[in-house]
């Protein structure tokens, strides 16, 4: 099974409600889809969102990086040589992690197809059912409480609450949501770099003293402020999770050595794909550090790949934040992983199991 051609498409899926964080507001998923064709007739699919404020990737840069730097290296490569292909992808150019991830996802899809097995099985196996949280966007307090209650009524037992806009209002938001769902759902706070270290400690002490029990606090400070992240981790009882502060394996090693966070958030669009995500999970397992697997605003193409990784590495990936499909108005993918609100399950179909992607617009290069 050798790679013969790589194509691109644009996929647009409106969200059920605007996605609002301390960094941005988004109303529609608009992602680049990568299609890898082979001489055997097998097709692999990958996907990458343009998350410029986090990864630096744009639609244009994703297509350019793949078309001009990655694709020429892969034409003629045999899918069976997976490690060689992933090395070719990762060394094609610096950064551009979302572009690399999209290509890797499509390659791993084909690798599963080559051995006629769902991807998670060739990654090590596991129980093919996991449970995700859902994001509650930052908004007016009444709206956030209503959204939280709605999510709980739909069966979600963990809520990721977006904060980081205004420290005083953030505290009131969290108190109100906690009072509304106490005993029915766990709360995960995500400040998306919106607080200073001292603000984060103040907010968490205020909440902890008020009896608000939180599962974790995600990325309270700026991505580059590792000292600030450690300052918070050392001073609050609630576990602190690093997200934007860690992209690749080396950053994870340094963060763990510094004890700057308690949990690592793995995202394929940060790691550059599945190969480094697996490395990060293995590193964290060696140090006894828990991981979450998350996603950007992605559809069930790339989120499916993250699901397979989560199942195969469930010994260390203990928390799941793969709610992109749940936030979307519809699922454009036929086949593959089944997303049913909080429950996500994998079929026995080879690779990612994708049969068709509806509404895909060709991108000419």
């Amino acid at each position: 099974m050798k790679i013969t051609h790589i194509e691109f498409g644009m996929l647009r899926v409106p969200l059920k409600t605007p996605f609002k964080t301390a960094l941005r507001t988004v109303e529609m998923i608009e992602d680049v889809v990568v299609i890898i064709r082979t001489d055997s007739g097998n097709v692999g699919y990958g996907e990458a969102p343009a998350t410029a404020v986090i990864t630096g990737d744009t639609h244009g840069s994703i297509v350019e990086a793949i078309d001009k730097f990655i694709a020429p290296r892969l034409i003629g490569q045999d899918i069976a040589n997976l490690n060689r292909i992933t090395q070719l992808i990762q060394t094609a150019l610096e950064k551009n992690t979302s572009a690399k991830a999209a290509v890797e996802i499509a390659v791993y899809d084909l690798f599963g197809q080559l051995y006629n097995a769902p991807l998670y099985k060739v990654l090590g196996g596991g129980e093919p059912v996991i449970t995700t949280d859902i994001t509650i966007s930052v908004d007016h307090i009444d709206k956030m409480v209503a959204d939280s209650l709605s999510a709980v009524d739909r069966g979600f037992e963990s809520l990721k609450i977006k904060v980081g806009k205004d420290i005083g209002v953030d505290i009131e938001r969290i108190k109100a949501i906690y009072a509304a769902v106490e005993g029915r759902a766990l709360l995960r706070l995500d400040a998306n770099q919106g607080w200073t270290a001292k603000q984060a400690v103040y907010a968490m002490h205020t909440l902890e003293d008020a009896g608000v029990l939180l599962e974790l606090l995600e990325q309270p400070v700026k991505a580059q402020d590792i000292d600030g992240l450690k300052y918070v981790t050392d001073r609050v009882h609630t576990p602190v999770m690093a997200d934007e502060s860690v992209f690749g394996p080396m950053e994870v090693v340094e963060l763990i050595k510094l004890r700057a966070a308690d949990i690592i958030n793995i995202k394929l669009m940060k790691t550059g794909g599945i190969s480094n995500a697996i490395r990060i999970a293995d590193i964290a397992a060696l140090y006894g550090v828990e991981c979450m697997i998350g996603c950007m605003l992605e559809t069930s193409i790339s989120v499916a790949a993250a699901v397979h990784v989560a199942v195969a590495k469930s010994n260390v990936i203990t928390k799941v934040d793969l709610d992109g499909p749940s936030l979307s108005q519809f699922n454009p993918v036929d086949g593959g992983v089944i997303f049913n609100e909080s429950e996500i399950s994998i079929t026995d179909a080879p690779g990612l199991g994708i049969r068709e992607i509806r509404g895909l617009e060709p991108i000419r290069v």
Side-chain angles (χ1 to χ4, degrees), residues 97-346:
T97 54
S98 298
K100 293 174 181 178
V103 179
E104 272 210 5
I105 289 167
V107 168
Y108 273 87
D109 183 11
L110 288 166
F111 189 70
Q113 293 177 45
L114 178 64
Y115 293 101
N116 197 35
L119 180 57
Y120 79 93
K121 287 190 176 180
V122 298
L123 294 179
E127 182 62 37
V129 180
I130 58 175
T131 302
T132 183
D133 63 14
I134 192 168
T135 300
I136 306 299
S137 288
V138 64
D139 214 314
H140 301 297
I141 293 176
D142 290 347
K143 177 69 163 58
M144 293 182 73
V145 169
D147 289 345
S148 299
L149 289 171
S150 174
V152 171
D153 289 341
R154 288 159 53 195
F156 288 93
E157 297 179 349
S158 297
L159 308 179
K160 178 183 268 196
I161 311 300
K162 293 291 188 180
V163 291
K165 284 282 193 180
D166 180 300
I167 192 76
V169 179
D170 283 340
I171 291 170
E172 295 308 311
R173 287 179 174 116
I174 299 158
K175 285 181 177 179
I177 293 170
Y178 183 77
V181 305
E182 184 179 2
R184 299 175 65 194
L186 298 173
L187 299 188
R188 302 166 174 174
L189 302 191
D190 187 0
N192 283 114
Q193 310 177 60
W195 293 339
T196 66
K198 286 189 175 182
Q199 283 178 327
V201 171
Y202 165 74
M204 297 312 295
H205 283 176
T206 301
L207 292 166
E208 290 169 352
D209 291 346
V212 176
L213 302 177
L214 303 168
E215 186 181 8
L216 59 87
L217 169 64
E218 181 174 359
Q219 198 62 49
V221 299
K222 296 295 184 186
Q224 298 80 13
D225 188 9
I226 305 301
D227 289 340
L229 190 65
K230 179 174 171 55
Y231 180 93
V232 179
T233 301
D234 288 343
R235 288 166 175 79
V236 303
H237 295 296
T238 302
V240 174
M241 181 166 71
D243 180 10
E244 290 93 341
S245 289
V246 284
F247 274 54
M250 294 306 296
E251 291 162 322
V252 170
V253 171
E254 290 303 313
L255 198 81
I256 291 174
K257 284 182 176 179
L258 290 171
R259 299 188 179 184
D262 303 297
I263 307 167
I264 304 297
N265 191 346
I266 300 171
K267 292 179 180 175
L268 300 186
M269 298 304 142
K270 293 189 303 171
T271 64
I274 294 173
S275 62
N276 276 335
I278 291 170
R279 289 188 182 96
I280 289 171
D282 289 341
I283 291 166
L286 284 173
Y287 285 94
V289 173
E290 285 185 80
C291 293
M292 171 186 279
I293 193 157
C295 59
M296 306 298 187
L297 280 175
E298 306 163 37
T299 74
S300 57
I301 302 170
S302 52
V303 175
V307 172
H308 282 268
V309 173
V311 167
K313 293 295 179 180
S314 58
N315 61 311
V316 63
I317 297 175
T318 59
K319 306 177 193 304
V320 177
D321 176 35
L322 298 176
D323 60 351
S326 296
L327 300 174
S328 302
Q329 289 189 18
F330 61 88
N331 184 358
V333 175
D334 180 23
V337 170
I338 299 169
F339 295 89
N340 183 21
E341 296 290 16
S342 63
E343 183 179 279
I344 306 174
S345 56
I346 302 175

Side-chain angles (χ1 to χ4, degrees), residues 63-125:
V63 173
E64 182 79 1
I66 298 170
D67 186 53
K68 296 294 193 296
F69 295 90
I70 299 174
R73 291 179 147 215
L74 302 189
I75 303 304
Q77 293 294 324
D78 194 321
I79 292 297
N81 298 327
L82 180 66
N83 289 341
R84 171 172 170 74
I85 292 175
T86 58
Q87 183 182 30
L88 288 171
I89 294 168
Q90 295 303 322
T91 58
L93 72 171
E94 290 296 312
K95 311 295 184 183
N96 292 276
T97 54
S98 298
K100 293 174 181 178
V103 179
E104 272 210 5
I105 289 167
V107 168
Y108 273 87
D109 183 11
L110 288 166
F111 189 70
Q113 293 177 45
L114 178 64
Y115 293 101
N116 197 35
L119 180 57
Y120 79 93
K121 287 190 176 180
V122 298
L123 294 179

